[in-house]
Amino acid sequence: MRRPLLAGNWKMHTTVLDAYLLVAEIGKCSAGLKDRDVLLAPPYIALHAVSSVLHDSDIIVASQNVCWEENGAFTGEISPTMVKAVGGTAAIIGHSERRQIFHEDDEMINKRLRGALKFGLMPILCIGETLEEREGENTFAILEGQLRKGLAGASSEDMGRTVIAYEPVWAIGTGKTATKEQAQEVHAFIRKLLAEIFEKDIADSVRILYGGSVKPDNVDELMAQPDIDGALVGGAALDAESFCRIINFT
Ligand code: PEP
């Protein structure tokens, strides 16, 4: 049985003060949720504020990306040990905005994933096709490439704390959600692929999140799909009421 994981990616939103206010609200509405995990990924500058508010909560704090080195000449980057030092235990890796706007390729994403694993963070590897790729019927080939290359070098043991997020690029921030059937089809494909790369037991235990315009009014039907184990939420994670409804999905 896979434990649901509801993750909020705040992207480049919230000052430290905004982050304090938002996390306080989310802390209240997530207290008492024993059968699911909640994760927040604030901007780096608010990681410490958010994890200090959450010090006696089970909410997981994540960075929105992470470098593969512990320290060094990597201007603008954050290291896994820095994330851990401020209470973070996870990192989003390979988000489509990193791939598209900042041109991170599969090789770099794989380095980041292996760095996160090496230093004990839980990586959330994001994969997803563009509209053009979907319309050209290349969805599965694109996802297979991103998954195989992103996970290169990860062991079966590493998969015990790795999460995959399927985020169709055409559904991110657009208000267009994949239908529950489209999402389920892809999630089942990813799980089958994980069974090929690793083994069935591993594939059955890995959490696969859906991301792309998840909102209070579609979360329940998405979460009812057999291979959807959670959600990675952008826009709706910035509104406490919406995110609280999402994490309280039924
Ligand atoms: C995201 O940022 O990963 C995301 C899915 O955003 P949104 O929920 O706004 O589509």
Side-chain angles (χ1 to χ4, degrees), residues 9 11 95 97 167 171-174 211-215 232-236:
N9 172 16
K11 309 194 186 191
H95 190 280
E97 287 148 18
E167 298 209 299
I172 297 180
T174 58
S213 298
V214 174
K215 307 277 182 232
L232 180 50
V233 186

Side-chain angles (χ1 to χ4, degrees), residues 72-84:
F74 296 94
T75 302
E77 290 284 327
I78 187 167
S79 85
T81 40
M82 290 172 186
V83 173
K84 284 167 65 181

Side-chain angles (χ1 to χ4, degrees), residues 94-101 103-104 106 109 126 146:
H95 190 280
S96 67
E97 287 148 18
R98 299 304 315 174
R99 294 177 188 262
Q100 297 210 309
I101 306 171
H103 308 295
E104 291 192 12
D106 288 312
I109 287 162
C126 303
Q146 290 177 347

Side-chain angles (χ1 to χ4, degrees), residues 8 15 63 67 103 127 129 146 175 179 193 211 245:
T15 61
S63 59
C67 190
H103 308 295
I127 60 173
E129 82 285 4
Q146 290 177 347
T179 63
L193 207 51
R245 169 64 186 87

